[in-house]
Amino acid sequence: MTASNAILASLLPLVDDLARDVPEAERFRRLLEAMRQLVPCDASALLRLEGDELVPLAVDGLSLDTLGRRFRVNDYPRFRALLAQEGPTLFPSDSPLPDPYDGLVTGEPHLDVHDCMGCPLQVGGQPWGLVTLDALEAGRFDAADLEALRAFASLAGATVAASDRMRGLERVAERERSRAEGFRLAAGQAPARRLTGLSPAFRHLTEDIATVAHSDLTVLVRGETGTGKELVAQAIHAASSRADRPLIAVNCAALPEQLLESELFGHVRGAFSGATTDRRGKFELADHGTLFLDEVADLSLGAQAALLRVMQSGQLQRVGSDREHRVDVRIIAASNRDLADEVRAGRCRADFYHRLSVYPLVVPALRERGNDVLLLAGRFLEESRARLGLPGVRLANEAQALLLAWSWPGNVRELEHTIGRACLKGLARVGRGKVLVIETGDLDLVGPMTPPAPHPETPPRGADALPLRAALELYERQRIEDALARHDGNWAAAARELGMDRANLRRSASRLGLD
């Protein structure tokens, strides 16, 4: 069989995947798997170009936190060089250009990549993204591998193009997000972050967002402090038909009672001392857009009554004026408290609660999201790398295990602060000029490790009394055993759940005495 025929044969299952509507993440994972069968390597990745960033869609043999990173092309000379070519590029093993994946190969955090090649994927004559292959051994790739990659990239481009056609609604949503982002930047606001995750709890959340976004229903977002409720509101707005109109956020907890009506509904000149001009309120600013009411449980009963009237009629009066103003505003409210409990306690009006909770949506706590902790850590590591001007920041294996084992009472916000602090501590420890590897001591997480039980039948196993390394090994053993049990001893399926390469999972299991 010729190389071209072998490549064609390897992609036939992907055509079947398209016909069966296999989830996109799984389709891309199989695309990488087919490529690695043709060109053996230690790591591979499929990245989509979004603006000036490359976003990993699937990785094989790379640390799971890679999927949470967004690589700014201008910060990575090798990515920039790959995108500048029409065909594949093989970098010399002694190339002075830093490799974006140094230290990210699964199970080998301190080893740098020595052989690297990649190829841009074209869709409609435009760069869609990249496929990359890396090896820890110098001289692994040769001219024959380049030709195989060239043929594979051509067919893979057709595969991702077909996938994009099937993602029609998602592509429309992406365009709306882009428009919304342009509006935010024009208004002088900070760029919005995207929701990041792959866990079942996260997928359920994104399905809820997709369901309600295209309607005008009022949404009540509930979740613990630090879970990302405002990001959920931004995602709903960005995927809605109002995306090109403003999203106005109001922190209800920060509004003084005496200024609340003026802030929300506006005022006219002379309405009160200091009102020297007419001023529009948040409702008018959000006309034909979305108003996000954060910490809505902190509103007084009187403020709830005033808001309820506007929500019911779409009409408001500025403070000091009898003139009615009509507004068309979608409401998204958020609270870290259960408003039904607040109603029973007499702190929330029942009619106000029912008006808000037309579509209730719960944001899961970080401890319920499994490996999403590492994806989010990857995103925060990349942000810290850019902010501190470092060549790269990686997590040691023990640090990854500790992040997974922590209970995260402060949720995503606590993780963000932990990673930012760890990068500063690590930088003070080793200095600049080389890839920074975050160790457990840099994370400064002290206390009991209370990971969520991965399965209701799995008995809890305490680790509080053990030394740190022994506790981490116990946790790692528990995760592997549970994954294998759920998949009836299928190593490949367990490796996919754990975000690991199967060979590396075998090595870890052998080290822990499980093989």
Side-chain angles (χ1 to χ4, degrees):
M1 181 182 290
T2 66
S4 296
N5 288 338
I7 294 167
L8 204 51
S10 71
L11 283 178
L12 286 177
L14 299 174
V15 177
D16 292 339
D17 288 348
L18 288 170
R20 293 198 305 265
D21 194 22
V22 170
E24 185 181 69
E26 176 63 11
R27 189 180 305 125
F28 289 149
R29 187 196 67 77
R30 294 181 187 180
L31 185 67
L32 283 188
E33 190 176 71
M35 183 180 66
R36 288 188 71 175
Q37 290 175 1
L38 288 167
V39 185
C41 58
D42 292 306
S44 58
L46 177 69
L47 306 101
R48 181 162 55 206
L49 185 63
E50 297 184 5
D52 64 347
E53 295 178 324
L54 283 165
V55 181
L57 301 180
V59 298
D60 193 2
L62 293 173
S63 174
L64 186 59
D65 67 271
T66 309
L67 283 172
R69 298 175 184 251
R70 300 177 68 87
F71 298 98
R72 288 182 56 193
V73 174
N74 287 336
D75 290 348
Y76 294 94
R78 292 204 188 201
F79 284 153
R80 196 163 61 243
L82 289 174
L83 288 170
Q85 302 298 319
E86 293 185 1
T89 299
L90 172 59
F91 292 97
S93 56
D94 59 351
S95 171
L97 300 178
D99 193 289
Y101 305 133
D102 281 348
L104 286 177
V105 178
T106 307
E108 305 290 349
H110 299 288
L111 293 180
D112 293 342
V113 172
H114 290 289
D115 242 14
C116 168
M117 68 176 182
C119 187
L121 301 182
Q122 302 281 334
V123 173
Q126 299 295 319
W128 180 93
L130 290 176
V131 60
T132 63
L133 296 88
D134 290 275
L136 295 172
E137 176 187 346
R140 171 83 68 86
F141 303 132
D142 56 23
D145 293 325
L146 270 179
E147 286 309 307
L149 179 58
R150 183 191 303 275
F152 186 89
S154 176
L155 292 172
T159 302
V160 297
S163 178
D164 272 4
R165 285 193 293 273
M166 295 184 66
R167 294 173 63 244
L169 288 177
E170 290 184 37
R171 288 191 289 116
V172 170
E174 285 177 5
R175 286 197 297 270
E176 295 299 339
R177 279 195 294 268
S178 179
R179 293 165 68 189
E181 184 66 8
F183 189 92
R184 287 177 60 84
L185 295 176
Q189 299 177 9
R193 279 178 169 166
R194 288 195 183 187
L195 294 165
T196 301
L198 291 173
S199 66
F202 179 82
R203 287 199 302 269
H204 180 72
L205 172 64
T206 56
E207 288 166 3
D208 268 346
I209 291 172
T211 297
V212 75
H214 296 286
S215 73
D216 272 341
L217 295 181
T218 300
V219 181
L220 177 60
V221 183
R222 187 163 62 85
E224 297 177 10
T225 298
T227 51
K229 296 185 290 294
E230 185 168 1
L231 285 184
V232 170
Q234 291 172 2
I236 294 172
H237 175 74
S240 74
S241 60
R242 298 171 180 259
D244 60 343
R245 303 298 297 175
L247 168 65
I248 303 296
V250 178
N251 185 348
C252 299
L255 283 179
E257 180 72 20
Q258 62 272 24
L259 294 180
L260 184 138
E261 289 197 26
S262 171
E263 191 69 21
L264 291 177
F265 310 135
H267 62 255
V268 297
R269 180 181 178 183
F272 50 83
S273 177
T276 57
T277 60
D278 290 358
R279 182 174 180 270
R280 293 188 299 166
K282 301 298 187 185
F283 268 90
E284 287 187 79
L285 292 174
D287 194 22
H288 298 289
T290 304
L291 184 64
F292 175 53
L293 300 174
D294 198 9
E295 303 300 346
V296 71
D298 287 317
L299 291 172
S300 67
L301 293 175
Q304 293 172 27
L307 266 173
L308 185 62
R309 176 181 176 275
V310 179
M311 292 171 64
Q312 289 174 331
S313 67
Q315 294 182 319
L316 60 85
Q317 293 178 341
R318 295 180 183 177
V319 176
S321 171
D322 293 329
R323 180 187 169 194
E324 295 279 356
H325 294 265
R326 177 165 291 278
V327 291
D328 173 17
V329 174
R330 183 192 195 166
I331 300 291
I332 301 176
S335 176
N336 59 11
R337 286 182 256 167
D338 188 334
L339 290 192
D341 290 342
E342 296 296 298
V343 171
R344 286 188 286 270
R347 293 186 292 268
C348 180
R349 295 172 56 111
D351 51 1
F352 183 64
Y353 164 66
H354 291 298
R355 178 64 64 172
L356 286 179
S357 61
V358 177
Y359 197 101
L361 193 154
V362 178
V363 185
L366 185 55
R367 62 181 172 275
E368 300 168 358
R369 294 178 54 183
N371 287 341
D372 283 355
V373 172
L374 293 183
L375 272 68
L376 289 161
R379 187 180 78 185
F380 298 139
L381 285 168
E382 191 62 22
E383 290 177 0
S384 293
R385 181 207 62 77
R387 185 170 58 250
L388 297 173
L390 300 172
V393 185
R394 311 293 183 243
L395 286 168
N397 285 345
E398 294 82 0
Q400 291 187 35
L402 181 55
L403 292 178
L404 287 169
W406 196 248
S407 57
W408 301 111
N411 293 292
V412 179
R413 186 177 298 129
E414 180 187 0
L415 174 62
E416 179 183 7
H417 295 164
T418 297
I419 294 296
R421 182 172 63 244
C423 288
L424 283 175
K425 288 188 172 186
L427 179 60
R429 174 170 51 82
V430 303
R432 298 182 183 272
K434 58 182 179 180
V435 172
L436 173 61
V437 178
I438 301 297
E439 306 289 351
T440 54
D442 300 320
L443 295 173
D444 197 23
L445 295 175
V446 180
M449 293 180 292
T450 54
H455 192 275
E457 297 177 1
T458 301
R461 294 171 233 179
D464 298 356
L466 296 174
L468 179 60
R469 183 173 295 277
L472 292 174
E473 288 185 355
L474 176 64
Y475 177 73
E476 190 176 1
R477 175 194 291 267
Q478 175 185 343
R479 290 291 302 274
I480 294 174
E481 287 178 340
D482 292 338
L484 286 169
R486 280 193 295 277
H487 295 285
D488 298 322
N490 186 314
W491 288 87
R496 282 196 296 273
E497 177 186 321
L498 295 169
M500 299 178 68
D501 179 73
R502 182 171 59 179
N504 286 320
L505 176 59
R506 284 278 193 179
R507 283 194 288 269
S508 295
S510 179
R511 172 174 54 82
L512 295 167
L514 295 175
D515 198 6

